[in-house]
């Protein structure tokens, strides 16, 4: 069905991929107040190994 197991918290979402390969992760933001926002970079790591990856940070500006 394409759905991955995930856990959603107030400050993060944890997703588990069962197979190796290339994945694209997208998410939807709901902004409630205008302003400048800093989106922290995604962090990924191998559950049973030492490999880890960091994504790029993002910034967005929401205007009224």
């Amino acid at each position: 069905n394409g759905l991955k197991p995930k856990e959603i918290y107030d400050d993060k979402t944890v997703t588990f991929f069962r197979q190796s390969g290339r994945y694209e992760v997208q998410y939807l933001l709901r902004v409630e107040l205008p302003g400048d926002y800093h989106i922290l970079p995604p962090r990924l790591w191998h559950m049973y190994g030492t490999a880890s990856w960091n994504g790029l940070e993002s910034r967005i500006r929401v205007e009224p």
Side-chain angles (χ1 to χ4, degrees):
N1 63 9
L3 296 176
K4 307 289 184 244
K6 63 183 170 184
E7 300 171 6
I8 299 174
Y9 302 95
D10 288 339
D11 61 340
K12 65 183 173 184
T13 299
V14 178
T15 302
F16 306 93
F17 298 99
R18 296 179 189 266
Q19 298 176 351
S20 63
R22 184 179 177 130
Y23 291 93
E24 180 177 321
V25 178
Q26 298 179 359
Y27 51 92
L28 177 66
L29 300 174
R30 184 181 82 190
V31 180
E32 297 181 353
L33 296 171
D36 293 324
Y37 293 91
H38 176 227
I39 302 168
L40 295 174
R43 294 181 300 160
L44 300 107
W45 59 90
H46 191 282
M47 190 170 187
Y48 299 109
T50 59
S52 64
W53 305 267
N54 289 316
L56 299 174
E57 68 178 46
S58 300
R59 294 185 181 270
I60 60 171
R61 173 173 284 169
V62 178
E63 297 179 358

